[in-house]
């Protein structure tokens, strides 16, 4: 979970009051956070003391900063929700005198960008440190180690507008990167600069690399690696700073820009808009004036709030609790419509509203209750069947495996040689390695085989577990099923082995089945079969396609199969 260090003087100034250790520990519960440490040595002045806070929630990146935590505590204590009039909205863009032009060359590399300018007063040491920390937390956690979101800050006094965001060959541009005095080209930066070595995996191997320059050709930065040593070297006392964010997902880039803009506004800075001109229309338009409000309203039935939280809630009570969370809402009969704050985009479902109502009321206001129902736990029929199938496979020499249910599109789609139409993607994933819900057990089994080349053959493994995929006929558009998957890898592995295993397994399970030819890109044509029950497909088996094996780096033949156990319950 994210941990942040906040400057005591700045934090209390933004929160509107001072706290003792016990008070702060209790108040932080409203931000799903806890006090991790406090350098409260009385001999150290407040402006040098640090409070360490651990966040227990990863879907609220707006809380990963001093201003964000202070804002949450301030509104929970009864303060007015902050207003941010500088945001542009759909159909109501604010005028912007500064512009960024996105060149078509960058669309296939790192296509999206947001920007704004802060002015009004010189940046202080504590605020600069907090901005750098916010940049690190947002871009490392929410931005997937800068792969999907990165951020830079620059001195506008050295910029000749408009700014140009483009892509160039890595050997074609040279500049002095931050924290160095040597002029390097982009390829050399990846090899020689510490940040290039750390984040070079994002750009390395591409023919074109992103670059941010002003209209005179002065380099601002090499996103998402490093700023330049002149325009990008911000120091305490600087005023009129350009803040930009680039990335691969426009909503994530836009939300990150909104969070940073709100943090600076809370600290007393003036936010000035910047227009970003795209060469092609985006989901927010062709010219987007940032900061930009893009969140959609979400509604909840106050009766549903009462059912989930276990006590009566009128629509007015729901709205009042949400106001203490800094959330604006409107009442429409029994329904309450929530308009997410500019710095939040985590209201994915009405239950998310219920959670905010609970926190806004104060969790200590809910009386604990003893359970009223007495139940006896028992195995579900599908679990009973799965355990029987496991025992059969273990008896046939297979080893059971247990895997995560989340993974990457690279593993679940690209390496399996299948389209990704039916695969479920997480709306706000923290890393690309846990971005998709697995639609099949086979990628997990192949992943194990890909790292087992030095083990003695044959390799025979299986797993019984959950898979999920899209289904328009289902209530929520998705279904979750219990599948059994198996894989055998050795020099003589062939279709007959997979067919014999399936026949023996289904015989001992007492299950009727038939098979027919099929064409699945994961398996060799003519060496695969679909398993049917009463004419309905419930599984597949066959020899794994050489292209799939090559994608996984597997050098021996493999046969595999997968069966929907719930079809036999």
């Amino acid at each position: 979970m994210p941990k942040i260090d906040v400057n005591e003087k700045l934090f209390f100034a933004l929160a509107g009051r001072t706290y003792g250790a016990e008070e702060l520990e209790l108040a932080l519960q409203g931000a799903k956070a806890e006090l991790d440490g406090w350098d409260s040595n009385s001999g150290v002045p407040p402006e040098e003391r640090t409070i360490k806070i651990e966040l227990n929630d990863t879907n609220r990146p707006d809380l990963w900063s001093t201003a964000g935590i202070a804002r949450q505590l301030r509104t929970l204590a009864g303060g007015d929700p902050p207003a941010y009039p500088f945001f542009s909205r759909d159909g109501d863009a604010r005028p912007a005198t500064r512009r960024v032009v996105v060149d078509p060359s960058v669309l296939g590399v790192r296509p999206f960008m947001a920007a704004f300018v802060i002015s009004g007063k010189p940046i202080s040491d504590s605020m600069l440190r907090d901005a750098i920390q916010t940049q690190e937390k947002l871009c490392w956690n929410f931005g997937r180690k800068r792969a999907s979101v990165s951020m830079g800050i620059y001195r506008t006094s050295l910029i000749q507008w408009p700014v140009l965001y483009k892509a160039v060959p890595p050997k074609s541009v040279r500049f002095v990167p931050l924290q160095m005095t040597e002029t390097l080209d982009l390829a050399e930066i990846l090899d020689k600069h510490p940040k290039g070595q750390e984040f070079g995996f994002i750009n390395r191997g591409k023919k074109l690399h992103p670059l941010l320059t002003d209209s005179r050709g002065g380099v601002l930065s090499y996103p998402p690696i490093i700023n330049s040593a002149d325009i990008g070297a911000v120091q305490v006392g600087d005023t009129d700073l350009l803040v930009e964010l680039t990335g691969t997902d426009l909503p994530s880039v836009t939300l990150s820009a909104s969070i940073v803009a709100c943090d600076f506004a809370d600290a007393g800075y003036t936010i000035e808009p910047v227009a970003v001109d795209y060469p092609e229309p985006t989901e927010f338009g062709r010219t987007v004036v940032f900061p930009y409000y893009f969140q959609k309203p979400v509604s909840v039935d106050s009766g549903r709030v009462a059912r989930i939280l276990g006590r009566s809630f009128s629509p007015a009570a729901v709205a009042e609790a949400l106001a203490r969370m800094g959330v604006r809402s409107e009442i429409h009969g029994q329904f309450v419509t929530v308009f997410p704050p500019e710095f939040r985009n985590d209201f994915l479902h009405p239950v998310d509203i219920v959670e905010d109502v609970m926190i806004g009321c104060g969790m200590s206001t809910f009386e604990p209750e003893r359970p009223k129902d007495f139940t006896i736990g028992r195995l579900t029929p599908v679990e009973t069947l799965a355990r029987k199938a496991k025992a059969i496979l273990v008896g046939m020499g297979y080893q059971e495996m247990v895997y995560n249910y989340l993974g990457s599109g690279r593993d679940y789609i690209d390496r399996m040689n299948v389209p990704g139409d039916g695969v479920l993607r997480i709306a706000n994933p923290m890393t690309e390695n846990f971005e998709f819900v697995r639609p099949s057990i086979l990628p997990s089994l192949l992943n194990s085989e890909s790292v087992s080349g030095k083990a003695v053959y044959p390799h025979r493994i299986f797993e019984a577990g959950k898979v999920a995929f899209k289904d328009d006929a289902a209530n929520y558009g998705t279904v979750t099923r219990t599948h059994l998957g198996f894989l055998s890898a050795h020099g003589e592995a062939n279709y007959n082995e997979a067919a014999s295993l399936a026949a023996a397994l289904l015989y001992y399970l007492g299950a009727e089945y038939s098979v027919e030819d099929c064409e699945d890109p994961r398996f060799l044509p003519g060496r695969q079969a679909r398993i049917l029950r009463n004419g309905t497909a419930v599984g597949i088996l066959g020899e794994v396609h050489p292209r799939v094996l090559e994608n996984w780096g597997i050098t021996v033949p493999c046969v595999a199969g997968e069966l929907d156990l719930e079809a036999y319950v």
Side-chain angles (χ1 to χ4, degrees), residues 8-24 26-27 38 51 70 73-78:
E8 180 184 310
K9 183 177 180 180
L10 177 63
F11 178 57
F12 288 162
L14 293 173
R17 55 158 294 184
T18 59
Y19 286 90
E22 292 185 4
E23 284 182 302
L24 183 57
L26 185 62
W38 193 341
I51 302 174
L73 300 192
R74 190 173 65 247
T75 55
L76 272 173

Side-chain angles (χ1 to χ4, degrees), residues 115-376:
F116 59 90
V117 169
I118 63 170
S119 62
K121 62 179 182 179
I123 193 164
S124 64
D125 178 72
S126 59
M127 195 62 202
L128 180 58
R129 289 177 182 273
D130 192 64
I132 293 172
Q133 176 180 243
T134 302
Q135 173 186 358
E136 292 174 350
K137 298 298 180 183
L138 271 178
C139 300
W140 182 268
N141 294 292
F142 188 66
R144 304 181 197 168
K145 300 180 182 179
R146 300 191 185 181
S148 60
V149 178
S150 65
M151 172 179 159
I153 305 178
Y154 315 91
R155 294 180 284 183
T156 60
S157 61
L158 301 179
I159 297 174
Q160 180 70 44
W161 297 87
V163 168
L164 179 62
Y165 181 47
K166 59 184 178 180
V168 298
K171 291 288 187 179
S172 65
V173 175
R174 301 179 65 86
F175 70 97
V176 180
L178 196 64
Q179 299 173 346
M180 293 186 77
T181 57
E182 180 184 1
T183 300
L184 304 174
D185 64 39
L186 307 187
E188 291 172 334
I189 289 175
L190 298 185
D191 294 331
K192 297 182 179 181
H193 197 284
K195 293 300 181 182
Q197 295 167 359
E198 184 176 4
F199 299 107
F201 69 93
I202 301 172
N203 290 338
R204 187 172 281 113
K206 296 180 179 178
K207 294 181 179 180
L208 297 176
H209 292 201
L211 189 72
L212 199 62
T213 71
D214 68 2
S215 62
R216 294 173 301 190
V219 175
L220 278 69
S221 72
Y222 169 30
I225 310 301
I226 192 67
N227 285 7
S228 67
D230 47 7
I231 301 177
V234 176
Q235 299 177 354
V236 174
D238 285 340
T239 58
D240 297 334
L241 302 176
L242 168 66
V243 180
E244 59 80 16
L245 297 99
T246 64
T248 57
D249 179 70
L250 184 56
S252 297
V253 169
T254 305
L255 178 65
S256 299
S258 300
I259 291 171
V260 179
C262 292
D263 285 356
F264 275 112
D266 285 356
Y269 292 87
T270 300
I271 308 300
E272 301 178 14
V274 171
V276 178
D277 297 325
Y278 287 97
E280 298 178 359
T282 70
E283 59 189 289
F284 300 152
R286 186 158 187 167
T287 295
V288 187
V289 180
F290 294 97
Y292 179 78
Y293 182 81
F294 67 97
Q295 292 85 336
K296 303 299 182 183
V298 183
S299 297
V300 66
D301 185 344
S302 58
R304 184 175 190 176
V305 176
R307 288 193 300 273
I308 294 176
L309 295 183
R311 79 183 193 199
S312 177
F313 275 94
S314 66
V318 171
E320 183 182 350
L322 290 171
R324 286 195 290 272
M325 292 293 290
V327 178
R328 187 173 68 87
S329 61
E330 292 179 357
I331 299 173
H332 302 280
Q334 280 295 110
F335 285 83
V336 178
T337 300
V338 165
F339 301 90
E342 292 85 347
F343 46 82
R344 292 181 62 177
N345 194 35
D346 58 307
F347 291 104
L348 307 179
H349 189 276
V351 169
D352 295 317
I353 302 176
V354 177
E355 181 186 30
D356 263 36
V357 172
M358 177 187 67
I359 298 174
C361 289
M363 287 177 282
S364 61
T365 65
F366 292 86
E367 293 291 335
E369 295 182 3
R370 290 183 179 276
K372 297 182 175 66
D373 299 322
F374 177 75
T375 60
I376 299 175

Side-chain angles (χ1 to χ4, degrees), residues 253-507:
V253 169
T254 305
L255 178 65
S256 299
S258 300
I259 291 171
V260 179
C262 292
D263 285 356
F264 275 112
D266 285 356
Y269 292 87
T270 300
I271 308 300
E272 301 178 14
V274 171
V276 178
D277 297 325
Y278 287 97
E280 298 178 359
T282 70
E283 59 189 289
F284 300 152
R286 186 158 187 167
T287 295
V288 187
V289 180
F290 294 97
Y292 179 78
Y293 182 81
F294 67 97
Q295 292 85 336
K296 303 299 182 183
V298 183
S299 297
V300 66
D301 185 344
S302 58
R304 184 175 190 176
V305 176
R307 288 193 300 273
I308 294 176
L309 295 183
R311 79 183 193 199
S312 177
F313 275 94
S314 66
V318 171
E320 183 182 350
L322 290 171
R324 286 195 290 272
M325 292 293 290
V327 178
R328 187 173 68 87
S329 61
E330 292 179 357
I331 299 173
H332 302 280
Q334 280 295 110
F335 285 83
V336 178
T337 300
V338 165
F339 301 90
E342 292 85 347
F343 46 82
R344 292 181 62 177
N345 194 35
D346 58 307
F347 291 104
L348 307 179
H349 189 276
V351 169
D352 295 317
I353 302 176
V354 177
E355 181 186 30
D356 263 36
V357 172
M358 177 187 67
I359 298 174
C361 289
M363 287 177 282
S364 61
T365 65
F366 292 86
E367 293 291 335
E369 295 182 3
R370 290 183 179 276
K372 297 182 175 66
D373 299 322
F374 177 75
T375 60
I376 299 175
R378 61 177 62 88
L379 297 177
T380 61
V382 68
E383 179 60 26
T384 301
L385 181 65
R387 292 193 178 193
K388 185 176 180 180
K390 291 177 185 180
I392 293 170
L393 284 175
V394 169
M396 298 172 71
Y398 279 71
Q399 181 177 352
E400 183 179 7
M401 311 295 286
V402 179
Y403 299 106
N404 292 325
Y405 291 166
L406 300 182
S408 67
R410 180 183 65 255
D411 290 348
Y412 291 166
I413 301 171
D414 300 339
R415 286 178 171 173
M416 296 305 296
N417 196 29
V418 296
D421 300 342
V423 185
L424 298 177
R425 182 181 182 274
I426 305 300
N428 55 342
M430 293 306 300
T431 72
E432 64 179 5
N433 291 328
F434 299 98
E435 185 177 3
F436 291 88
V437 183
R438 70 175 182 179
S440 167
I441 292 177
L442 298 184
S444 303
L445 298 171
L446 288 166
N447 186 40
S448 289
E449 179 58 31
S450 70
V451 295
S452 303
K454 295 184 179 180
V456 177
Y457 289 98
H459 302 159
R460 294 189 171 100
I461 56 178
F462 77 94
E463 187 201 17
K466 300 291 185 183
V467 301
F469 42 85
K470 295 178 182 178
D471 185 351
D472 294 336
N475 189 27
Y476 289 102
T478 67
V479 293
T480 301
R481 307 283 286 185
T482 299
H483 279 200
L484 175 72
F486 66 87
L487 180 140
S488 176
H490 57 90
E492 303 299 324
N494 58 39
Y495 170 83
N496 291 334
E497 179 182 356
S500 298
L501 175 72
L505 173 65
L506 291 167
Y507 171 80

